[in-house]
Amino acid sequence: MTKKVRVRYAPSPTGHLHIGGARTALFNYLYAKHYDGDFVFRIEDTDVARNIEGGEESQLHNLEWLGIIPVESPIIGGPYGPYRQMERLDTYKEHAQQLLEKGLAYKCFCTSEELEAEREAQRANGVAAPMYKGTCRHLTAEEVAEKEAAGLPYTIRFKVPAEETYVVDDLIRGEVTFESKDIGDWVIVKANGIPTYNYAVVLDDHLMEMTHIFRGEEHLSNTPKQMMIYRAFGWEVPRFGHMTLIVNENHKKLSKRDESIIQFISQYKDLGYLPEAMVNFLALLGWSPEGEEEIFSMDELIAQFTEKRLTKSPSMYDTQKLKWMNNQYMKKLSHEQVVELCLPFLQKEGLVPENPTEEEAAWASRLIGLYHEQMSYGAEIVELSAQFFTDALTYSEEEQEVLAGEQVSEVMASFKAQLEALEAYVAPEIKKAIKAVQKETGHKGKNLFMPIRVATTGEMHGPELTDALELLGKETVIARIEPFIK
């Protein structure tokens, strides 16, 4: 590559960092890093009515949490600023004036009511995609001056060339062709002086020297309009790559209204997911590594990431795979790191005091340790450990069948007697007590262990049984087994 690679992530501050936006940012970041280029963060804030307070900060903060750090941004600054569109209005105005002077754009005085009437008339005639018919395209200079003198508001429209073909040499999809006859003259500057997306984004990308534009495939239809602006100014068109759609588990396009999937990065952070796992998972949504390996560090992703491995097929957002992947990363954490991650969730629910005593802290630490290997994300500790914080267990139909076994009463009576005789109520001694029950009753294997586990924990599967029984405490365990002694 002759020019230094420069790519960008340019969200609107209309919401928090969505998984689709995070994937876009990540792919641009990996591409830049792979080719020793620059990753730039820019804000497209011209939709003023929809901007939310803290939107920009939320985007940057969550990218930083993921480890996606730009070299230029509105906060960091840089040689191509400003990095917010509303601070670049003079630039858009100046270039729009150039297009007007070249006869490549014109002022349109059509009202919104007139435009809607035109669209309705076209729809009535069977036109599926109505377009502007150029009513104001042929106004004389005198007519334009007269309307301006009358104080009529106007937009500025780009004059779409006739019989032009626009070929997008897409890095992912190959050649995609558009014809100008399918695109009506479109607005580049609104009546309030604010530029439209397809106009402003070209000026920003060119003036900030972007070489490659990776974005979602929903932007593919915008590309011919943007190419018109590049051609109008005689500028080099960057390379485009339109990434695959992300679909849900029903293979439907992911919608922000889809409540079956957690959609925002901040939500995953708040649930105790690990940023390394999120990055790993997002990287596999539309990109495939060369081998069968699925677990990658950021450095490994950077080393492998190229446009050649980007896929055309829709990517399914598999929440179970995300949980599995996060579990793989959880397992690599030290015990201290897992406790640090999980303890706040127990405290938030009031299950562990905010300022625990040394004994309470040690108990909570051991409790969390029981589920270290099993846990998919930090907040899951609350659900997993529910048995330790309830006075009344509930049993499923399958668990009730276990507890209805004819040997259960005998096993429980023997186990209670063994526990009551223990001098030290600790896991190794509890293990000996269970062995003594086996010797005394003759019951072993599932007939011995399963009733004890289900009666005391309310679960058929879980952490090491004797460790769980120690943490539950002798009084609780005896109270839970007594109802099953006839």
Side-chain angles (χ1 to χ4, degrees), residues 222-388:
N222 289 325
T223 312
K225 289 182 179 179
Q226 294 168 16
M227 292 178 74
M228 292 176 193
I229 301 297
Y230 281 107
R231 288 188 186 181
F233 286 110
W235 295 339
E236 183 181 352
V237 179
R239 293 297 305 276
F240 290 98
H242 290 90
M243 300 176 294
T244 178
L245 285 175
I246 301 175
V247 297
N248 64 19
E249 289 164 11
N250 296 318
H251 299 280
K252 299 228 172 127
K253 180 182 174 182
L254 202 61
S255 160
K256 289 182 181 178
R257 292 183 294 277
D258 185 349
E259 294 182 359
S260 67
I261 291 176
I262 298 170
Q263 303 251 355
F264 296 96
I265 296 300
S266 58
Q267 292 173 293
Y268 287 100
K269 181 183 178 185
D270 291 344
L271 283 170
Y273 278 80
L274 300 174
E276 300 86 355
M278 292 300 303
V279 163
N280 194 157
F281 177 75
L282 290 169
L284 299 178
L285 293 176
W287 173 81
S288 60
E290 292 193 11
E292 297 299 315
E293 180 61 48
E294 290 190 295
I295 303 298
F296 298 96
S297 68
M298 182 74 89
D299 287 342
E300 289 167 337
L301 288 170
I302 289 169
Q304 285 207 34
F305 192 90
T306 71
E307 68 281 10
K308 297 179 179 66
R309 304 293 301 180
L310 290 168
T311 59
K312 297 179 186 178
S313 305
S315 305
M316 189 177 83
Y317 198 87
D318 186 341
T319 54
Q320 293 308 311
K321 182 171 182 178
L322 173 56
K323 287 181 181 179
W324 169 82
M325 188 168 283
N326 204 71
N327 172 257
Q328 302 304 301
Y329 281 85
M330 291 279 283
K331 288 176 180 176
K332 295 177 184 177
L333 296 181
S334 68
H335 173 70
E336 291 74 21
Q337 288 173 315
V338 172
V339 171
E340 184 181 354
L341 178 68
C342 296
L343 184 59
F345 294 104
L346 294 172
Q347 292 172 323
K348 182 181 176 184
E349 296 296 321
L351 304 174
V352 174
E354 287 292 333
N355 297 298
T357 64
E358 190 174 328
E359 185 179 351
E360 289 168 335
W363 183 87
S365 174
R366 288 193 60 196
L367 174 68
I368 293 166
L370 285 182
Y371 296 98
H372 186 162
E373 293 289 309
Q374 183 181 346
M375 225 179 317
S376 295
Y377 54 95
E380 195 177 28
I381 187 62
V382 174
E383 179 186 346
L384 290 174
S385 65
Q387 56 172 294
F388 290 89

Side-chain angles (χ1 to χ4, degrees), residues 8-210:
R8 47 72 170 177
Y9 171 58
S12 301
T14 54
H16 302 294
L17 183 60
H18 184 260
I19 49 182
R23 194 268 303 258
T24 297
L26 176 62
F27 280 17
N28 278 283
Y29 177 80
L30 294 174
Y31 189 81
K33 290 293 183 181
H34 182 82
Y35 290 108
D36 296 319
D38 293 335
F39 169 69
V40 176
F41 178 90
R42 190 175 74 216
I43 281 289
E44 296 178 349
D45 57 352
T46 54
D47 193 352
V48 178
R50 293 182 59 230
N51 293 344
I52 65 167
E53 187 175 350
E56 177 185 318
E57 292 78 4
S58 171
Q59 291 271 343
L60 276 168
H61 179 71
N62 285 294
L63 285 179
E64 185 178 346
W65 179 72
L66 290 170
I68 303 172
I69 313 296
V71 294
E72 299 164 32
S73 77
I75 306 302
I76 300 167
Y80 299 89
Y83 294 89
R84 297 183 186 95
Q85 286 188 331
M86 288 301 287
E87 296 172 7
R88 299 172 63 83
L89 294 182
D90 286 346
T91 297
Y92 308 132
K93 182 178 179 181
E94 174 192 333
H95 284 79
Q97 186 60 36
Q98 290 178 28
L99 293 176
L100 287 169
E101 290 170 0
K102 290 179 180 179
L104 300 176
Y106 59 92
K107 294 174 180 177
C108 173
F109 297 88
C110 295
T111 65
S112 56
E113 291 78 14
E114 289 169 338
L115 293 171
E116 181 56 34
E118 184 179 293
R119 283 191 289 269
E120 286 300 321
Q122 290 184 45
R123 289 192 192 101
N125 289 324
V127 178
M131 66 177 73
Y132 181 65
K133 288 300 185 182
T135 306
C136 293
R137 185 173 191 166
H138 305 294
L139 291 176
T140 64
E142 291 76 15
E143 289 171 319
V144 170
E146 184 181 322
K147 290 178 180 293
E148 283 193 86
L152 296 179
Y154 62 86
T155 61
I156 299 177
R157 288 184 181 269
F158 186 79
K159 197 179 287 185
V160 175
E163 305 302 323
E164 285 258 339
T165 298
Y166 300 92
V167 180
V168 184
D169 184 14
D170 196 281
L171 288 161
I172 301 168
R173 300 167 186 280
E175 283 195 357
V176 185
T177 302
F178 298 90
E179 301 295 335
S180 64
K181 63 183 174 60
D182 299 322
I183 304 168
D185 292 353
W186 52 282
V187 174
I188 61 172
V189 180
K190 292 178 278 190
N192 59 6
I194 293 178
T196 58
Y197 166 75
N198 282 313
Y199 169 62
V201 73
V202 172
L203 269 62
D204 293 342
D205 286 338
H206 173 74
L207 296 174
M208 293 184 185
E209 299 188 13
M210 297 299 148

Side-chain angles (χ1 to χ4, degrees), residues 456-473:
T456 57
T457 70
E459 299 171 342
M460 296 183 68
H461 308 282
E464 180 63 40
L465 178 58
T466 53
D467 289 335
L469 294 179
E470 180 185 339
L471 286 176
L472 280 166

Side-chain angles (χ1 to χ4, degrees), residues 385-406:
S385 65
Q387 56 172 294
F388 290 89
F389 304 102
T390 181
D391 293 329
L393 296 177
T394 57
Y395 303 101
S396 68
E397 193 173 317
E398 188 178 8
E399 289 162 352
Q400 288 176 33
E401 286 180 19
V402 169
L403 295 172
E406 60 182 20

